[in-house]
Amino acid sequence: MSERLEPGDIAPAFTLPDADGNEISLAAHKGRKVIVYFYPAALTPGCTKQACDFTDNLSVLAQAGYDVIGVSPDKPEKLAKFREQEHLKVTLVGDPSKEVLTAYGAFGEKKLYGKTVTGVIRSTVIVDEEGKVERALYNVKATGHVAKIIKDLGI
């Protein structure tokens, strides 16, 4: 199982393709705070709810100095379909190799309907302007999570 990140850790660097195949890197966001959220699969009910919540609150988060990047193991083509179908504005990147998911502690054993399975652990890591982990939240719920982040960050 992958190690979970703790506040103060250096956020693992990454460069991943977005829905259009463009390379998105964490380093390009230096000087801004970044909410990196990890979700199991595009076009599924919980992940759709979460992505729509981030999209609906994107301007509030941006005004508070936060960029948002959603990471899943999906390929860019599926991310593009997800974005178009749900009218998403949040940046979505794909990590089919699961290397970034693993580096962030967002891939490993989890409970699903009472069974232990290996998969994406719904997680959110908030990275500060210097690239350090400010908060690392694991096993989060899709519904209400964005509102909780906004409340916890005092936005």
Side-chain angles (χ1 to χ4, degrees), residues 124-140:
T124 301
V125 176
I126 300 171
V127 181
D128 71 13
E129 300 91 340
E130 298 302 312
K132 287 192 174 147
V133 174
E134 192 175 290
R135 295 169 192 239
L137 311 162
Y138 293 95
N139 294 311
V140 301

Side-chain angles (χ1 to χ4, degrees), residues 1-151:
M1 187 160 149
S2 51
E3 290 292 314
R4 292 189 167 182
L5 297 176
E6 298 286 335
D9 288 350
I10 299 290
F14 64 83
T15 301
L16 293 169
D18 70 3
D20 299 313
N22 300 316
E23 298 287 308
I24 303 294
S25 70
L26 182 62
H29 293 267
K30 194 161 175 75
R32 301 236 340 136
K33 293 184 179 210
V34 186
I35 297 170
V36 185
Y37 80 96
F38 300 90
Y39 63 99
L43 301 166
T44 57
C47 298
T48 298
K49 173 79 178 112
Q50 190 176 22
C52 288
D53 281 354
F54 271 116
T55 293
D56 293 346
N57 289 287
L58 211 50
S59 62
V60 170
L61 292 164
Q63 285 173 344
Y66 291 89
D67 295 334
V68 179
I69 301 173
V71 182
S72 73
D74 299 307
K75 291 185 165 52
E77 302 77 34
K78 187 173 180 188
L79 296 175
K81 184 177 178 189
F82 187 33
R83 181 185 63 197
E84 307 312 314
Q85 191 172 311
E86 300 299 334
H87 310 289
L88 301 173
K89 301 278 184 257
V90 65
T91 299
L92 300 173
V93 298
D95 180 24
S97 71
K98 301 176 186 74
E99 285 177 31
V100 174
L101 287 156
T102 301
Y104 275 80
F107 188 82
E109 284 189 357
K110 64 179 185 174
K111 291 270 189 224
L112 188 65
Y113 305 115
K115 291 191 170 115
T116 300
V117 297
T118 300
V120 176
I121 299 161
R122 193 180 302 276
S123 312
T124 301
V125 176
I126 300 171
V127 181
D128 71 13
E129 300 91 340
E130 298 302 312
K132 287 192 174 147
V133 174
E134 192 175 290
R135 295 169 192 239
L137 311 162
Y138 293 95
N139 294 311
V140 301
K141 300 277 181 246
T143 305
H145 180 58
V146 176
K148 183 175 178 351
I149 289 173
I150 288 170
K151 181 175 178 265

